[in-house]
Structures are given as C-alpha cells and as structure tokens.
Amino acid sequence: MVVQWGILGCAGIARKFCASVSRIDNAVIAAVASRTAGKADDFIAENCPGSKAYASYEELLADASIEAVYIPVPTSVKTELVLKVAAAKKHVLVEKPLASAADVKLMIDACKAAGVQFMDNTMFLHNARQDSIKSVLSDGGMFGDLRHVDSTFSIDCANDEAWAADNIRMKRSLEPLGCLGDLGWYNVRLTLWAFQYSLPTSVSCTYVEHTEEMVPTHLMAQMRFGNKTGSFMCSFKSAFRNSAEFVGSKAVLSLEDFVVTGKLDAASYKVTQTTFGAKDETFPLVTLKDEELKTGVQHAKLVETFSGLVASGKVDETWPEQTYQTQLVLDAMVKSAEQGGMWISLQ
Amino acid sequence: MVVQWGILGCAGIARKFCASVSRIDNAVIAAVASRTAGKADDFIAENCPGSKAYASYEELLADASIEAVYIPVPTSVKTELVLKVAAAKKHVLVEKPLASAADVKLMIDACKAAGVQFMDNTMFLHNARQDSIKSVLSDGGMFGDLRHVDSTFSIDCANDEAWAADNIRMKRSLEPLGCLGDLGWYNVRLTLWAFQYSLPTSVSCTYVEHTEEMVPTHLMAQMRFGNKTGSFMCSFKSAFRNSAEFVGSKAVLSLEDFVVTGKLDAASYKVTQTTFGAKDETFPLVTLKDEELKTGVQHAKLVETFSGLVASGKVDETWPEQTYQTQLVLDAMVKSAEQGGMWISLQ
C-alpha cells in the first residue's frame, strides 16, 4: 500500500520531506497546500512534480484521498492546524517544537480520539545507528552504566544580520522558543532517549543571549535523572555543530553528527577508554570500537516507518508520548530560564 | 645553573615530578623530606637516587642549598607549609587545589614579600600545544570569536569501593573540594586560559553526587563571561576522560587529552567545521586542521620553566595571579553548590 501524503505549507524545511518520500516505496506526495496562490505550484515543480496544488489548507483537508499530513508551519500556528488535521481523521507528522506541553496534550488526545498516528519529525530517532548505540549503552562489561550525556547543537546563522532580522526562529510571534525549540529540542530528545524516556527529576536552563522579546539565542541547560546527568549548549551564534557524547562508568561513546548525519546513508560513532600510562605521565586513549554503519537515509526511514504504521491501521502510542515528554522538559527549561537558571522539579 | 630542588612529602603524585626533573638539565632533586622515617629513603631509591633524605620538613627547609621546593601534600595542610617554605625564602611549586582564595592570597603575598616564585603544578599550561591552540582561537578568519568552552574531566576510581573508602580525595579533612578540586581545577583553568584570564561574570555549580561530608564526587558547572560561556562535568564515578572543545563563531577546536596528553612528547588537536549538504539532508563535517605537534614532555617543560625563573632571579607575577583566579572561581562554585546551583556573581 502506498500512503497518500499532503503537505500543509511550503516552508523550506519541507524540501527534505519531499526528498525522503522520493526515496521510499510506501509513500507519495499527493497534494501540497499553500495559503499563497502560486506558491504551491512552484514548490511542487521543484520538489514533488505531479502532486496536486491546493490554494488553502482546508481544501487539502477536504480531499478524502489524503491519508497523512506533514505540517512544517511555524510553531505558533501548529496547534490549531494539528487539531484540524486530526478532526479530518488524517495522520499527523508535525515539525518540532510545539507550543507547550498542554498543547501537545490537546493534539495527542485529538489524534487518539480520531484513531490517527501522531509523530514529530525528529529524524535521528529513526537512524539505525541508534540501535547500535543502544547496544553499547547496555553493554555493562564494556561501557558500564550511563552516567552523563552531553551534547552541542549550534548554528552560527544569527551572526548574519539579515538572518537575525528576518528569520522566523528569532521572532516571538512565530517561534517563541528560539534556539531552545529549534536546536535544544534535539539535545533534550537525545538525552531522554538515552535514559529510556524516564522523565528528568529536575532541569536547569540559562539564556545567555536572547532577543529583546526574550527569544533565546545562546543557552546552557542541564538535566538530572537522580544521580545521572545531561547537559547541553545550543546557540544561533556559535559554529555549526551537532555532536554528542555518552559517558558511561567505564567508557565513552561519541558522535559528531547526532541530529543530521554527515553522510547521507552512513553513520558512525566511537567508543573510547582513557587509560593511565607509566607514572601517570600520559593518559593514552584506547579506541574500543570505531563503527561506521550503512544505515540508509534516516529521514526516509522516518517517513517509511510512519507510512508503514498508517498502512497497518495500528497506532503506536510511544511516539506521541516521546513528543509530550520532550515538550514537558522544554517547558520546564523556559520556567528555569525565567527564574535565573533555578532547578525546576519535574516529578 | 642547576636549581637545587627539595620535595616535601612522598605522595604518589611526586613520582611525576621526579620523572620530569630527570628529563631536564637545569634542575636536580637535592633532597626529599618525609615525616615518616624510612619513607623518604624508599621514595628516593625508587624515584631520584642520590638525593638526600630528611626525616622532617623543617630539616629540609633549614638546608641552605635548597632553592626551590615542590609541595605535593594534601590541601588541608598546604597553606601552612607554603607559608613556611616562603619564610625560608625558597621558591614554591605547589600541587593544586588550594584551601581557599583567601589562603592563596596569604601564600602569594608571603612569596612576594620573600621575593620567591609561586606557581601551581598545572602542567598543561606549559605544553607547546597551548600556543598553537591560541593561534587558532585568535584567527578570526578561520575560527571567528570564541563563544563557548566545554570540557570533561572524570575518572571512574570511586566506583572501586576500596578507593572510595580510603583515598584522600574522598575525605573532607584532607581534600574538601573532592572532584571539584582534583579535576574541576583543570576545567576551570582551561576556561580561564581560553578567555585570557578575564574573571567570569558569574558561575554556577551543582553537586549531583557527594559523600556524607558533602565532598563532591560528580558535578556539573557553568561559567558566564558576559555573553560567552563555559561548562564542564567532572566526576569520580564516570569513565576516565579529559576532553575539551572550544566553540568559535565559525569553527570548533577539539582535543581528547587536555590535562595530560595521550602521548608523552606529542599532542594533537582538530579544527572542524560542520556544513550544510544539499537540501540540508546531510551536515558534512569538514576538517580545517588536524595537528599533531612535537611538544616535548609538558611537565618537564613546567619544571624547566620554573627552574629558569629561579636561575634568572626574576619573579613572574602572572603565575600566582592565575592560581588566585582559579581558586576564586572554585570558591564561588562551592558557594553556588551550597545554594542549589544558584548563579554566583564574581564581579
């Protein structure tokens, strides 16, 4: 079965979705809707030739042939739109972040009531590398117990004046969470994933730089899971980077490209162990594992998995639950930042 | 001129000092003192054959031929000993950390009054790699401006029950700062070094694990330098690791072994830049620089530099000032930890 997808809006990020659909067999982009006449036509010509163009979201939602919808619109208008899509009984793949945990609850309840799948578009979770990493993290002999997850996700775009002035990520009315929503979302998700979606006991976040409207542009955040920890930096003003490190009690697993891979269909990671040299004059680094896996394209895998769920008629509740937890953490981080970095309890 | 060194105490860490002296031409270990009879003899036989053994610190300090003294004793007894060494008008190389910034002030004032050099035993500062890194950090074209310094220094020793029960690093009466003093000292120093010893505007620290006596064994800390930042994790319970990363506005410099190098006489670092691939489907990592420098042995360099200062008759005030700043930051971090991770202002 080939799932018929619709796209609501022609945001730049939707190009990636089209590229992914073009790589798989169980999905097709049947229609694209834009509120601006002509924009959908241009988008289709460039990204998914043959799709139908609709001049409004409502027309696309009224098309009974569309089974699943991808929503790449700004965060401030996502909630309303997701609720409309669910009401139309279409499955929902939505861009991150979301407006608030309360809004996520509304959305996932609506999707549940409608019997449709809800998933956020966090690609890396669908990369086969995650399974391989998980096998290391649970290898007590080599890795020990996971103690700390550190990650960095930053882009230097806001150092460009034109970007800083115009990009939606800098505007409270469109993307109120700034770099926390756009980048920190992934840092949080990776950390939750590593600790098997146990909610952190408490979190802390400090906005080091922000716009006049308090949209964060450079921040540091921390998470506690009892006596285990996570930390990250995310920024619109630091060099582009998406690295992560899992520190066990015995070894360290690190990767350079945890959000989007450096190669299209392969992904790598390293497991290392530092050792004491003679008279502690040196700390030699030993590589225990240096993996490069043939993984396929992670985003294509996401759409394929989602389409497979649609085709199966079964809803997987773990995906909306993960979205909800991620947003709960982000909301607590915003609260912490508003209180000068105070630790905010989540349990 | 060959500087005549004395060592006060036979702590295991002093073996490294002996190894370093054996590698250079302008220093010799003339005497070793221990409060336990026979211990100095054993230490000398193993580490510096030919040195004189003294059965008390006072006897060594009374030896007019000794010009410089290395002090590897526990933190709780360092202050008194450094003041005695200064009073004996001998130059002072002391192990880190120190008891408090107030104590550091006492020590450096005493050394200044006596006209002797004061330096703490932070080896990595004397590694030629630091100069090479500095040249990258000040290369606006390639690196941009330094935005963030992240580092990890952890050892897993406290997962060993015998170590946890006996080691001085776990005992408040000997090393009250636990992993913050033993490991975090280096994280703080590296960050101060990177920001050219401007004092942070504020710092935050959270003890995630600590002994019953509140000696920290796993912690996270953050530093703000206006809108630039530093962060680190240090731990006695996580895998051995001493990595660091400097995030510029354009590129990232990373090293795996910032405290003690993996190889004895060489040290490396990498400068990388993440880029956008077609349709943002990939974030390819580009290596701008992959350096391995022939550096010599960093600790030997420290002793050589110190001995050179002694021989020159000139005192370099930058070393005690760096020690003072490092301890000021540690003291503020302890204060922050006592207040649940609150940001503590330093300016």
Side-chain angles (χ1 to χ4, degrees), chain A residues 15-16 19-20 23 46-47 123 143 147-148 150 152-157 159 204-209 217-218 220-224 226-233 235 237-243 245 247-252 254 256-257 259-265 272-276 279-285 297-299 340-343, chain B residues 15-16 19-20 23 46-47 123 143 147-148 150 152-157 159 204-209 217-218 220-224 226-233 235 237-243 245 247-252 254 256-257 259-265 272-276 279-285 297-299 340-343:
Chain A
R15 293 177 306 159
K16 248 163 134 162
S20 295
R23 293 198 164 89
E46 196 191 331
N47 297 289
M123 281 99 73
F143 188 74
R147 295 280 314 160
H148 183 70
D150 183 58
T152 301
F153 192 14
S154 58
I155 54 174
D156 53 344
C157 297
N159 294 323
S204 151
C205 178
T206 301
Y207 294 174
V208 177
E209 282 198 86
T217 56
H218 179 91
M220 293 186 289
Q222 303 173 321
M223 285 170 267
R224 294 187 61 170
N227 65 354
K228 293 152 193 266
T229 47
S231 61
F232 66 86
M233 183 278 271
S235 175
K237 297 192 154 189
S238 303
F240 190 3
R241 181 138 184 83
N242 71 126
S243 64
E245 173 163 305
V247 184
S249 54
K250 294 182 182 172
V252 173
S254 50
E256 290 293 330
D257 52 356
V259 182
V260 174
T261 49
K263 295 181 183 174
L264 191 60
D265 58 357
T272 56
Q273 199 162 48
T274 304
T275 57
F276 286 106
K279 293 191 182 176
D280 305 349
E281 282 197 292
T282 56
F283 292 169
L285 189 71
V297 181
Q298 64 180 10
H299 192 214
M342 280 251 307
W343 283 93
Chain B
R15 293 178 305 157
K16 250 164 132 161
S20 295
R23 293 199 165 89
E46 196 191 330
N47 297 289
M123 281 100 73
F143 189 73
R147 295 281 315 161
H148 184 69
D150 183 57
T152 301
F153 191 15
S154 57
I155 54 175
D156 53 345
C157 298
N159 293 323
S204 151
C205 178
T206 302
Y207 293 173
V208 177
E209 282 199 86
T217 57
H218 179 93
M220 293 186 288
Q222 303 173 321
M223 286 170 266
R224 294 187 61 171
N227 65 355
K228 293 152 194 268
T229 48
S231 61
F232 65 86
M233 182 276 272
S235 176
K237 297 191 153 189
S238 303
F240 191 2
R241 181 141 183 82
N242 71 126
S243 64
E245 174 163 304
V247 184
S249 53
K250 294 181 181 171
V252 173
S254 50
E256 290 292 330
D257 53 355
V259 183
V260 174
T261 49
K263 295 181 184 173
L264 190 60
D265 58 357
T272 56
Q273 198 162 50
T274 305
T275 57
F276 286 106
K279 292 189 183 179
D280 305 350
E281 281 196 292
T282 56
F283 292 168
L285 189 72
V297 181
Q298 64 181 9
H299 192 213
M342 279 250 308
W343 283 93

Side-chain angles (χ1 to χ4, degrees), chain B residues 63-336:
Chain B
D63 182 339
S65 71
I66 304 291
E67 301 167 274
V69 170
Y70 168 60
I71 303 177
V73 302
T75 295
S76 54
V77 291
K78 272 174 198 154
T79 306
E80 194 193 338
L81 209 47
V82 170
L83 294 178
K84 276 187 188 169
V85 177
K89 296 209 183 302
K90 299 181 192 307
H91 302 272
V92 178
L93 175 66
V94 64
E95 266 309 323
K96 32 54 60 183
L98 297 157
S100 68
D103 277 30
V104 174
K105 190 87 173 62
L106 282 179
M107 297 180 205
I108 63 181
D109 284 351
C111 288
K112 201 171 178 176
V116 295
Q117 182 68 46
F118 177 95
M119 191 188 282
D120 69 63
N121 198 34
T122 304
M123 281 100 73
F124 75 78
L125 296 166
H126 301 265
N127 194 306
R129 174 170 61 180
Q130 299 297 121
D131 295 329
S132 184
I133 291 175
K134 187 124 280 179
S135 75
V136 172
L137 302 190
S138 54
D139 181 344
M142 171 167 66
F143 189 73
D145 296 317
L146 181 62
R147 295 281 315 161
H148 184 69
V149 178
D150 183 57
S151 59
T152 301
F153 191 15
S154 57
I155 54 175
D156 53 345
C157 298
N159 293 323
D160 178 275
E161 278 180 36
W163 192 95
D166 283 341
N167 197 276
I168 64 165
R169 292 166 184 80
M170 299 288 279
K171 297 196 190 304
R172 185 166 192 90
S173 60
L174 295 169
E175 293 294 344
L177 294 190
C179 69
L180 181 61
D182 192 49
L183 309 174
W185 172 278
Y186 296 95
N187 302 96
V188 167
R189 188 59 152 272
L190 181 78
T191 313
L192 289 176
W193 173 85
F195 288 115
Q196 299 173 65
Y197 294 97
S198 61
L199 213 53
T201 40
S202 56
V203 304
S204 151
C205 178
T206 302
Y207 293 173
V208 177
E209 282 199 86
H210 51 76
T211 67
E212 281 180 19
E213 298 181 313
M214 284 300 288
V215 172
T217 57
H218 179 93
L219 63 82
M220 293 186 288
Q222 303 173 321
M223 286 170 266
R224 294 187 61 171
F225 299 80
N227 65 355
K228 293 152 194 268
T229 48
S231 61
F232 65 86
M233 182 276 272
C234 67
S235 176
F236 286 152
K237 297 191 153 189
S238 303
F240 191 2
R241 181 141 183 82
N242 71 126
S243 64
E245 174 163 304
F246 302 85
V247 184
S249 53
K250 294 181 181 171
V252 173
L253 187 154
S254 50
L255 50 160
E256 290 292 330
D257 53 355
F258 88 91
V259 183
V260 174
T261 49
K263 295 181 184 173
L264 190 60
D265 58 357
S268 60
Y269 67 84
K270 257 192 194 180
V271 183
T272 56
Q273 198 162 50
T274 305
T275 57
F276 286 106
K279 292 189 183 179
D280 305 350
E281 281 196 292
T282 56
F283 292 168
L285 189 72
V286 177
T287 299
L288 303 180
K289 212 171 174 186
D290 191 353
E291 284 281 297
E292 177 165 295
L293 306 157
K294 277 278 162 203
T295 56
V297 181
Q298 64 181 9
H299 192 213
K301 197 84 182 181
L302 179 154
V303 187
E304 196 175 35
T305 299
F306 192 108
S307 302
L309 284 167
V310 171
S312 77
K314 280 180 216 143
V315 168
D316 185 341
E317 296 292 351
T318 59
W319 297 111
E321 180 59 23
Q322 292 177 13
T323 308
Y324 183 59
Q325 286 205 342
T326 307
Q327 193 70 44
L328 270 180
V329 171
L330 292 186
D331 287 7
M333 286 184 172
V334 171
K335 204 168 152 190
S336 170

Side-chain angles (χ1 to χ4, degrees), chain A residues 112-123:
Chain A
K112 199 170 182 180
V116 295
Q117 182 69 47
F118 176 95
M119 191 187 282
D120 69 63
N121 198 34
T122 304
M123 281 99 73

